[in-house]
Amino acid sequence: MSKTLEDLITRRFQDVTVSEAGHINTAEFLEAAEGVVKLFGTKVREKSLSNPSDPTVYDTLQKIITAEAKEGDRTATQGLLWLKSRGLELTAMALKRSLENQKETLSESFTEAYNKTLKQYHGFIVKKMFGVAMLACPDRETFYKKIGGDNEGAHEQLLAWVTALQGLLNELNIFYASGAFDKGL
């Protein structure tokens, strides 16, 4: 029996708790973000986003960012910004594009997403490194086989996952902008 997306991840983005105020549960978000790593079998650069000694004070991402702004230490704020904008937004855009353009290779989907998200921030060498990295991108068949096949059921699961991820990223983008928490990072 082939695996599905649900078999590969321990928490879906659509299962991350978001309060009525739009605050995102820290532990659940980080657990769901680990699913991106499992999808692609890659390692993510470690950033300090672990919960401090009192998890109730820092139980949402927004509380961590707000506390860091007051303390002047923005390690977790920067780590989350890196994860959010440089990893998850690129991944969400690329996978959504892949679902919408089923004749396109995964490498093409990621390259187009890169062009719209990160390329503007990179110099010549990093842009070339991204191109080289795309040579290692799995082909469409291999990737979709990993999550249950290139079929409607697998596509629906992945679309729900990507849509939920985009919703969480939108909440974080609004929050970062509201307090200019990304300035200078």
Side-chain angles (χ1 to χ4, degrees):
M1 185 168 128
S2 66
K3 289 186 176 186
T4 67
L5 179 65
E6 306 294 320
D7 296 326
L8 291 172
I9 57 176
T10 55
R11 180 173 303 275
R12 303 174 313 164
F13 283 109
Q14 54 267 48
D15 296 330
V16 173
T17 304
V18 179
S19 72
E20 287 185 27
H23 287 214
I24 301 167
N25 181 283
T26 301
E28 293 175 4
F29 180 83
L30 293 176
E31 184 181 357
E34 288 175 4
V36 174
V37 176
K38 291 177 184 175
L39 280 179
F40 294 100
T42 59
K43 296 191 188 273
V44 173
R45 189 170 77 190
E46 292 277 330
K47 288 287 185 179
S48 177
L49 275 173
S50 58
N51 286 339
S53 58
D54 186 355
T56 59
V57 175
Y58 299 99
D59 61 341
T60 71
L61 298 173
Q62 289 86 342
K63 285 181 183 178
I64 293 173
I65 294 166
T66 302
E68 282 195 346
K70 291 176 185 170
E71 297 165 5
D73 172 22
R74 301 187 336 159
T75 305
T77 303
Q78 185 173 13
L80 180 59
L81 182 64
W82 181 87
L83 176 65
K84 173 187 79 64
S85 63
R86 289 160 182 84
L88 297 177
E89 287 178 353
L90 171 71
T91 300
M93 186 179 289
L95 292 177
K96 187 164 191 247
R97 183 177 173 90
S98 176
L99 290 167
E100 293 170 349
N101 301 284
Q102 296 184 17
K103 293 188 184 210
E104 190 170 81
T105 67
L106 211 52
S107 177
E108 290 170 327
S109 295
F110 271 89
T111 298
E112 286 302 314
Y114 171 78
N115 290 341
K116 292 180 179 170
T117 57
L118 298 176
K119 185 177 181 178
Q120 62 184 326
Y121 303 111
H122 291 160
F124 177 77
I125 293 174
V126 175
K127 289 175 186 174
K128 292 297 180 191
M129 288 172 55
F130 179 84
V132 170
M134 285 298 93
L135 297 174
C137 186
D139 63 58
R140 184 181 182 87
E141 182 180 347
T142 301
F143 174 76
Y144 280 96
K145 188 176 189 180
K146 188 174 184 176
I147 64 165
D150 202 351
N151 60 60
E152 190 174 331
H155 290 193
E156 287 174 3
Q157 281 187 340
L158 187 58
L159 182 59
W161 187 81
V162 167
T163 301
L165 170 57
Q166 287 176 318
L168 295 172
L169 294 174
N170 290 342
E171 288 287 344
L172 286 173
N173 288 335
I174 290 166
F175 183 76
Y176 267 86
S178 74
F181 295 114
D182 56 348
K183 298 298 179 216
L185 295 179

